[in-house]
PDB file of all heavy atoms in Angstrom:
ATOM      1  N   VAL Z  16     -50.058 109.695 -33.286  1.00 47.00           N
ATOM      2  CA  VAL Z  16     -49.171 110.861 -33.246  1.00 47.00           C
ATOM      3  C   VAL Z  16     -49.188 111.581 -34.579  1.00 47.00           C
ATOM      4  O   VAL Z  16     -49.248 112.808 -34.648  1.00 47.00           O
ATOM      5  CB  VAL Z  16     -47.740 110.439 -32.874  1.00 47.00           C
ATOM      6  CG1 VAL Z  16     -46.775 111.604 -33.051  1.00 47.00           C
ATOM      7  CG2 VAL Z  16     -47.691 109.943 -31.438  1.00 47.00           C
ATOM      8  N   ALA Z  20     -50.630 115.396 -34.910  1.00 50.00           N
ATOM      9  CA  ALA Z  20     -49.683 116.435 -35.302  1.00 50.00           C
ATOM     10  C   ALA Z  20     -50.133 117.116 -36.589  1.00 50.00           C
ATOM     11  O   ALA Z  20     -50.100 118.344 -36.709  1.00 50.00           O
ATOM     12  CB  ALA Z  20     -48.290 115.827 -35.477  1.00 50.00           C
ATOM     13  N   LEU Z  41     -32.599 114.378 -27.793  1.00 98.00           N
ATOM     14  CA  LEU Z  41     -33.855 113.676 -27.529  1.00 98.00           C
ATOM     15  C   LEU Z  41     -33.619 112.492 -26.591  1.00 98.00           C
ATOM     16  O   LEU Z  41     -32.564 111.853 -26.638  1.00 98.00           O
ATOM     17  CB  LEU Z  41     -34.463 113.145 -28.831  1.00 98.00           C
ATOM     18  CG  LEU Z  41     -34.731 114.135 -29.966  1.00 98.00           C
ATOM     19  CD1 LEU Z  41     -35.264 113.389 -31.181  1.00 98.00           C
ATOM     20  CD2 LEU Z  41     -35.703 115.203 -29.527  1.00 98.00           C
ATOM     21  N   VAL Z  42     -34.595 112.207 -25.763  1.00 98.00           N
ATOM     22  CA  VAL Z  42     -34.602 110.992 -24.943  1.00 98.00           C
ATOM     23  C   VAL Z  42     -35.974 110.349 -25.092  1.00 98.00           C
ATOM     24  O   VAL Z  42     -36.979 111.034 -25.338  1.00 98.00           O
ATOM     25  CB  VAL Z  42     -34.307 111.287 -23.455  1.00 98.00           C
ATOM     26  CG1 VAL Z  42     -32.902 111.827 -23.282  1.00 98.00           C
ATOM     27  CG2 VAL Z  42     -35.322 112.269 -22.878  1.00 98.00           C
ATOM     28  N   PRO Z 121     -42.725 121.167 -40.947  1.00 93.00           N
ATOM     29  CA  PRO Z 121     -42.531 120.891 -39.516  1.00 93.00           C
ATOM     30  C   PRO Z 121     -43.051 119.530 -39.066  1.00 93.00           C
ATOM     31  O   PRO Z 121     -42.608 119.007 -38.059  1.00 93.00           O
ATOM     32  CB  PRO Z 121     -43.294 122.028 -38.839  1.00 93.00           C
ATOM     33  CG  PRO Z 121     -43.301 123.128 -39.834  1.00 93.00           C
ATOM     34  CD  PRO Z 121     -43.419 122.452 -41.170  1.00 93.00           C
ATOM     35  N   VAL Z 122     -44.045 118.962 -39.786  1.00 95.00           N
ATOM     36  CA  VAL Z 122     -44.425 117.564 -39.575  1.00 95.00           C
ATOM     37  C   VAL Z 122     -43.757 116.777 -40.693  1.00 95.00           C
ATOM     38  O   VAL Z 122     -44.145 116.867 -41.847  1.00 95.00           O
ATOM     39  CB  VAL Z 122     -45.949 117.377 -39.608  1.00 95.00           C
ATOM     40  CG1 VAL Z 122     -46.296 115.899 -39.465  1.00 95.00           C
ATOM     41  CG2 VAL Z 122     -46.608 118.176 -38.503  1.00 95.00           C
ATOM     42  N   GLN Z 123     -42.728 116.008 -40.318  1.00 96.00           N
ATOM     43  CA  GLN Z 123     -41.822 115.465 -41.332  1.00 96.00           C
ATOM     44  C   GLN Z 123     -41.665 113.952 -41.215  1.00 96.00           C
ATOM     45  O   GLN Z 123     -41.045 113.452 -40.267  1.00 96.00           O
ATOM     46  CB  GLN Z 123     -40.448 116.122 -41.188  1.00 96.00           C
ATOM     47  CG  GLN Z 123     -39.426 115.673 -42.229  1.00 96.00           C
ATOM     48  CD  GLN Z 123     -38.073 116.290 -41.978  1.00 96.00           C
ATOM     49  OE1 GLN Z 123     -37.380 115.907 -41.052  1.00 96.00           O
ATOM     50  NE2 GLN Z 123     -37.692 117.273 -42.794  1.00 96.00           N
ATOM     51  N   TYR Z 125     -39.723 110.593 -42.337  1.00 98.00           N
ATOM     52  CA  TYR Z 125     -38.331 110.438 -42.759  1.00 98.00           C
ATOM     53  C   TYR Z 125     -37.938 108.966 -42.803  1.00 98.00           C
ATOM     54  O   TYR Z 125     -38.597 108.100 -42.215  1.00 98.00           O
ATOM     55  CB  TYR Z 125     -37.388 111.192 -41.822  1.00 98.00           C
ATOM     56  CG  TYR Z 125     -37.380 110.669 -40.399  1.00 98.00           C
ATOM     57  CD1 TYR Z 125     -36.526 109.644 -40.004  1.00 98.00           C
ATOM     58  CD2 TYR Z 125     -38.255 111.189 -39.440  1.00 98.00           C
ATOM     59  CE1 TYR Z 125     -36.536 109.160 -38.705  1.00 98.00           C
ATOM     60  CE2 TYR Z 125     -38.272 110.711 -38.142  1.00 98.00           C
ATOM     61  CZ  TYR Z 125     -37.403 109.701 -37.784  1.00 98.00           C
ATOM     62  OH  TYR Z 125     -37.426 109.208 -36.491  1.00 98.00           O
ATOM     63  N   GLY Z 157     -39.713 107.103 -39.614  1.00 97.00           N
ATOM     64  CA  GLY Z 157     -40.434 107.696 -38.507  1.00 97.00           C
ATOM     65  C   GLY Z 157     -41.110 108.997 -38.890  1.00 97.00           C
ATOM     66  O   GLY Z 157     -41.215 109.352 -40.075  1.00 97.00           O
ATOM     67  N   LEU Z 158     -41.548 109.706 -37.884  1.00 97.00           N
ATOM     68  CA  LEU Z 158     -42.233 110.983 -38.061  1.00 97.00           C
ATOM     69  C   LEU Z 158     -41.759 111.944 -36.988  1.00 97.00           C
ATOM     70  O   LEU Z 158     -41.765 111.608 -35.794  1.00 97.00           O
ATOM     71  CB  LEU Z 158     -43.744 110.795 -37.951  1.00 97.00           C
ATOM     72  CG  LEU Z 158     -44.574 112.063 -38.187  1.00 97.00           C
ATOM     73  CD1 LEU Z 158     -44.664 112.366 -39.669  1.00 97.00           C
ATOM     74  CD2 LEU Z 158     -45.964 111.909 -37.599  1.00 97.00           C
ATOM     75  N   ARG Z 159     -41.330 113.140 -37.405  1.00 96.00           N
ATOM     76  CA  ARG Z 159     -40.913 114.176 -36.464  1.00 96.00           C
ATOM     77  C   ARG Z 159     -41.905 115.327 -36.485  1.00 96.00           C
ATOM     78  O   ARG Z 159     -42.468 115.687 -37.519  1.00 96.00           O
ATOM     79  CB  ARG Z 159     -39.529 114.718 -36.824  1.00 96.00           C
ATOM     80  CG  ARG Z 159     -38.393 113.801 -36.476  1.00 96.00           C
ATOM     81  CD  ARG Z 159     -37.077 114.578 -36.377  1.00 96.00           C
ATOM     82  NE  ARG Z 159     -35.957 113.666 -36.219  1.00 96.00           N
ATOM     83  CZ  ARG Z 159     -35.136 113.313 -37.203  1.00 96.00           C
ATOM     84  NH1 ARG Z 159     -35.314 113.812 -38.414  1.00 96.00           N
ATOM     85  NH2 ARG Z 159     -34.148 112.481 -36.974  1.00 96.00           N
ATOM     86  N   LEU Z 160     -42.082 115.924 -35.313  1.00 95.00           N
ATOM     87  CA  LEU Z 160     -42.906 117.117 -35.160  1.00 95.00           C
ATOM     88  C   LEU Z 160     -42.046 118.208 -34.544  1.00 95.00           C
ATOM     89  O   LEU Z 160     -41.450 118.018 -33.482  1.00 95.00           O
ATOM     90  CB  LEU Z 160     -44.101 116.822 -34.252  1.00 95.00           C
ATOM     91  CG  LEU Z 160     -44.906 118.036 -33.776  1.00 95.00           C
ATOM     92  CD1 LEU Z 160     -45.559 118.740 -34.958  1.00 95.00           C
ATOM     93  CD2 LEU Z 160     -45.939 117.612 -32.745  1.00 95.00           C
ATOM     94  N   HIS Z 161     -41.961 119.373 -35.220  1.00 93.00           N
ATOM     95  CA  HIS Z 161     -41.200 120.521 -34.725  1.00 93.00           C
ATOM     96  C   HIS Z 161     -42.167 121.654 -34.395  1.00 93.00           C
ATOM     97  O   HIS Z 161     -42.919 122.115 -35.245  1.00 93.00           O
ATOM     98  CB  HIS Z 161     -40.210 121.012 -35.792  1.00 93.00           C
ATOM     99  CG  HIS Z 161     -39.178 119.990 -36.166  1.00 93.00           C
ATOM    100  ND1 HIS Z 161     -37.988 119.846 -35.496  1.00 93.00           N
ATOM    101  CD2 HIS Z 161     -39.162 119.059 -37.144  1.00 93.00           C
ATOM    102  CE1 HIS Z 161     -37.275 118.872 -36.045  1.00 93.00           C
ATOM    103  NE2 HIS Z 161     -37.976 118.380 -37.051  1.00 93.00           N
ATOM    104  N   LEU Z 162     -42.162 122.094 -33.142  1.00 93.00           N
ATOM    105  CA  LEU Z 162     -42.955 123.236 -32.700  1.00 93.00           C
ATOM    106  C   LEU Z 162     -42.030 124.169 -31.924  1.00 93.00           C
ATOM    107  O   LEU Z 162     -41.705 123.897 -30.768  1.00 93.00           O
ATOM    108  CB  LEU Z 162     -44.123 122.789 -31.819  1.00 93.00           C
ATOM    109  CG  LEU Z 162     -45.248 121.989 -32.498  1.00 93.00           C
ATOM    110  CD1 LEU Z 162     -46.233 121.499 -31.457  1.00 93.00           C
ATOM    111  CD2 LEU Z 162     -45.937 122.836 -33.549  1.00 93.00           C
ATOM    112  N   HIS Z 164     -38.812 125.330 -30.449  1.00 91.00           N
ATOM    113  CA  HIS Z 164     -37.634 124.541 -30.108  1.00 91.00           C
ATOM    114  C   HIS Z 164     -37.985 123.107 -29.731  1.00 91.00           C
ATOM    115  O   HIS Z 164     -37.098 122.247 -29.633  1.00 91.00           O
ATOM    116  CB  HIS Z 164     -36.882 125.187 -28.942  1.00 91.00           C
ATOM    117  CG  HIS Z 164     -36.288 126.525 -29.274  1.00 91.00           C
ATOM    118  ND1 HIS Z 164     -35.231 126.662 -30.148  1.00 91.00           N
ATOM    119  CD2 HIS Z 164     -36.597 127.778 -28.858  1.00 91.00           C
ATOM    120  CE1 HIS Z 164     -34.906 127.939 -30.250  1.00 91.00           C
ATOM    121  NE2 HIS Z 164     -35.733 128.638 -29.481  1.00 91.00           N
ATOM    122  N   PHE Z 165     -39.259 122.824 -29.503  1.00 95.00           N
ATOM    123  CA  PHE Z 165     -39.676 121.486 -29.080  1.00 95.00           C
ATOM    124  C   PHE Z 165     -39.672 120.526 -30.265  1.00 95.00           C
ATOM    125  O   PHE Z 165     -40.126 120.857 -31.367  1.00 95.00           O
ATOM    126  CB  PHE Z 165     -41.072 121.541 -28.470  1.00 95.00           C
ATOM    127  CG  PHE Z 165     -41.645 120.190 -28.142  1.00 95.00           C
ATOM    128  CD1 PHE Z 165     -41.206 119.480 -27.037  1.00 95.00           C
ATOM    129  CD2 PHE Z 165     -42.626 119.637 -28.957  1.00 95.00           C
ATOM    130  CE1 PHE Z 165     -41.737 118.232 -26.736  1.00 95.00           C
ATOM    131  CE2 PHE Z 165     -43.168 118.399 -28.660  1.00 95.00           C
ATOM    132  CZ  PHE Z 165     -42.715 117.694 -27.548  1.00 95.00           C
ATOM    133  N   THR Z 166     -39.165 119.311 -30.026  1.00 95.00           N
ATOM    134  CA  THR Z 166     -39.122 118.278 -31.060  1.00 95.00           C
ATOM    135  C   THR Z 166     -39.663 116.973 -30.495  1.00 95.00           C
ATOM    136  O   THR Z 166     -39.255 116.541 -29.410  1.00 95.00           O
ATOM    137  CB  THR Z 166     -37.683 118.057 -31.571  1.00 95.00           C
ATOM    138  OG1 THR Z 166     -37.173 119.272 -32.086  1.00 95.00           O
ATOM    139  CG2 THR Z 166     -37.655 117.001 -32.667  1.00 95.00           C
ATOM    140  N   ALA Z 167     -40.595 116.334 -31.223  1.00 97.00           N
ATOM    141  CA  ALA Z 167     -41.100 115.006 -30.882  1.00 97.00           C
ATOM    142  C   ALA Z 167     -40.831 114.079 -32.060  1.00 97.00           C
ATOM    143  O   ALA Z 167     -40.896 114.488 -33.221  1.00 97.00           O
ATOM    144  CB  ALA Z 167     -42.593 115.057 -30.580  1.00 97.00           C
ATOM    145  N   ASP Z 168     -40.499 112.841 -31.741  1.00 97.00           N
ATOM    146  CA  ASP Z 168     -40.082 111.895 -32.769  1.00 97.00           C
ATOM    147  C   ASP Z 168     -40.663 110.522 -32.448  1.00 97.00           C
ATOM    148  O   ASP Z 168     -40.502 110.021 -31.327  1.00 97.00           O
ATOM    149  CB  ASP Z 168     -38.542 111.830 -32.795  1.00 97.00           C
ATOM    150  CG  ASP Z 168     -38.004 110.817 -33.790  1.00 97.00           C
ATOM    151  OD1 ASP Z 168     -38.209 109.607 -33.585  1.00 97.00           O
ATOM    152  OD2 ASP Z 168     -37.359 111.242 -34.757  1.00 97.00           O
ATOM    153  N   ALA Z 169     -41.366 109.921 -33.404  1.00 98.00           N
ATOM    154  CA  ALA Z 169     -41.853 108.549 -33.285  1.00 98.00           C
ATOM    155  C   ALA Z 169     -41.247 107.753 -34.425  1.00 98.00           C
ATOM    156  O   ALA Z 169     -41.344 108.162 -35.589  1.00 98.00           O
ATOM    157  CB  ALA Z 169     -43.371 108.498 -33.340  1.00 98.00           C
ATOM    158  N   ARG Z 170     -40.605 106.625 -34.088  1.00 98.00           N
ATOM    159  CA  ARG Z 170     -39.943 105.861 -35.137  1.00 98.00           C
ATOM    160  C   ARG Z 170     -40.056 104.359 -34.902  1.00 98.00           C
ATOM    161  O   ARG Z 170     -40.209 103.893 -33.781  1.00 98.00           O
ATOM    162  CB  ARG Z 170     -38.462 106.232 -35.239  1.00 98.00           C
ATOM    163  CG  ARG Z 170     -37.620 105.864 -34.031  1.00 98.00           C
ATOM    164  CD  ARG Z 170     -36.132 106.118 -34.265  1.00 98.00           C
ATOM    165  NE  ARG Z 170     -35.862 107.491 -34.661  1.00 98.00           N
ATOM    166  CZ  ARG Z 170     -34.640 107.933 -34.970  1.00 98.00           C
ATOM    167  NH1 ARG Z 170     -33.604 107.121 -34.917  1.00 98.00           N
ATOM    168  NH2 ARG Z 170     -34.469 109.185 -35.306  1.00 98.00           N
ATOM    169  N   THR Z 205     -40.074 103.422 -30.798  1.00 98.00           N
ATOM    170  CA  THR Z 205     -39.881 104.360 -29.695  1.00 98.00           C
ATOM    171  C   THR Z 205     -40.548 105.699 -29.982  1.00 98.00           C
ATOM    172  O   THR Z 205     -40.769 106.073 -31.141  1.00 98.00           O
ATOM    173  CB  THR Z 205     -38.382 104.622 -29.427  1.00 98.00           C
ATOM    174  OG1 THR Z 205     -37.772 105.150 -30.611  1.00 98.00           O
ATOM    175  CG2 THR Z 205     -37.668 103.355 -29.015  1.00 98.00           C
ATOM    176  N   VAL Z 206     -40.854 106.414 -28.908  1.00 98.00           N
ATOM    177  CA  VAL Z 206     -41.297 107.801 -28.959  1.00 98.00           C
ATOM    178  C   VAL Z 206     -40.271 108.625 -28.183  1.00 98.00           C
ATOM    179  O   VAL Z 206     -39.922 108.275 -27.048  1.00 98.00           O
ATOM    180  CB  VAL Z 206     -42.698 107.970 -28.355  1.00 98.00           C
ATOM    181  CG1 VAL Z 206     -43.077 109.440 -28.304  1.00 98.00           C
ATOM    182  CG2 VAL Z 206     -43.728 107.173 -29.168  1.00 98.00           C
ATOM    183  N   ASN Z 207     -39.759 109.695 -28.803  1.00 98.00           N
ATOM    184  CA  ASN Z 207     -38.674 110.486 -28.223  1.00 98.00           C
ATOM    185  C   ASN Z 207     -39.055 111.956 -28.174  1.00 98.00           C
ATOM    186  O   ASN Z 207     -39.675 112.470 -29.115  1.00 98.00           O
ATOM    187  CB  ASN Z 207     -37.397 110.309 -29.068  1.00 98.00           C
ATOM    188  CG  ASN Z 207     -37.065 108.850 -29.294  1.00 98.00           C
ATOM    189  OD1 ASN Z 207     -36.467 108.200 -28.452  1.00 98.00           O
ATOM    190  ND2 ASN Z 207     -37.457 108.319 -30.450  1.00 98.00           N
ATOM    191  N   LEU Z 208     -38.665 112.615 -27.102  1.00 98.00           N
ATOM    192  CA  LEU Z 208     -38.976 114.025 -26.907  1.00 98.00           C
ATOM    193  C   LEU Z 208     -37.704 114.789 -26.570  1.00 98.00           C
ATOM    194  O   LEU Z 208     -36.812 114.260 -25.904  1.00 98.00           O
ATOM    195  CB  LEU Z 208     -39.992 114.209 -25.777  1.00 98.00           C
ATOM    196  CG  LEU Z 208     -41.313 113.447 -25.893  1.00 98.00           C
ATOM    197  CD1 LEU Z 208     -42.136 113.634 -24.634  1.00 98.00           C
ATOM    198  CD2 LEU Z 208     -42.091 113.892 -27.120  1.00 98.00           C
ATOM    199  N   GLY Z 209     -37.632 116.039 -27.026  1.00 97.00           N
ATOM    200  CA  GLY Z 209     -36.462 116.842 -26.714  1.00 97.00           C
ATOM    201  C   GLY Z 209     -36.556 118.238 -27.272  1.00 97.00           C
ATOM    202  O   GLY Z 209     -37.659 118.766 -27.498  1.00 97.00           O
ATOM    203  N   SER Z 210     -35.391 118.837 -27.507  1.00 95.00           N
ATOM    204  CA  SER Z 210     -35.340 120.235 -27.930  1.00 95.00           C
ATOM    205  C   SER Z 210     -34.266 120.412 -28.984  1.00 95.00           C
ATOM    206  O   SER Z 210     -33.287 119.669 -29.032  1.00 95.00           O
ATOM    207  CB  SER Z 210     -35.042 121.122 -26.724  1.00 95.00           C
ATOM    208  OG  SER Z 210     -35.038 122.489 -27.079  1.00 95.00           O
ATOM    209  N   THR Z 211     -34.463 121.431 -29.826  1.00 91.00           N
ATOM    210  CA  THR Z 211     -33.493 121.797 -30.855  1.00 91.00           C
ATOM    211  C   THR Z 211     -32.884 123.152 -30.487  1.00 91.00           C
ATOM    212  O   THR Z 211     -33.599 124.090 -30.150  1.00 91.00           O
ATOM    213  CB  THR Z 211     -34.155 121.858 -32.244  1.00 91.00           C
ATOM    214  OG1 THR Z 211     -34.689 120.562 -32.557  1.00 91.00           O
ATOM    215  CG2 THR Z 211     -33.154 122.251 -33.314  1.00 91.00           C
TER     216      THR Z 211
END
Side-chain angles (χ1 to χ4, degrees):
V16 171
L41 304 177
V42 295
V122 177
Q123 182 184 73
Y125 64 88
L158 183 78
R159 285 201 188 101
L160 169 64
H161 298 272
L162 292 174
H164 294 291
F165 174 76
T166 302
D168 177 293
R170 66 174 55 183
T205 59
V206 175
N207 308 278
L208 305 174
S210 182
T211 299

